[in-house]
Amino acid sequence: MASKTSPKMEIVQSGNDFQVITKTVIVTQEIKFTINVEFMNTNPILGKEMKNVATWDSDKLVITSFSVSDPDDPPFKVTRELVNGEILQTMTCFDKSKKEDVSCKRWFKKL
């Protein structure tokens, strides 16, 4: 079902401060953060409290998340970048069973 949703994302930037709102028919998630400043949020899918830090990797916005309740869990990364006027969001995590990174990509069109 989640693969059939068409999420909408709004990103508001003021200097190094960001607000990202992602809306689907299932859930709305809003996060506010400052580049290079640790922040907390709850992962809406897993329900876990996450410790996060947002950084720039060249022109890509990268948010790296770590589980607070399960510190042995590998980090989870969300990278957002502009490509031809659209946002490419890449989510990457480590698959313990395969012992390798797995990722998925989603495109957001400008409205």
Side-chain angles (χ1 to χ4, degrees), residues 23-42:
K23 295 180 182 181
T24 70
V25 295
I26 300 168
V27 68
T28 296
Q29 180 187 26
E30 177 181 3
I31 56 173
K32 294 180 181 182
F33 57 89
T34 302
I35 297 295
N36 294 320
V37 176
E38 190 176 284
F39 66 97
M40 304 295 284
N41 77 321
T42 300

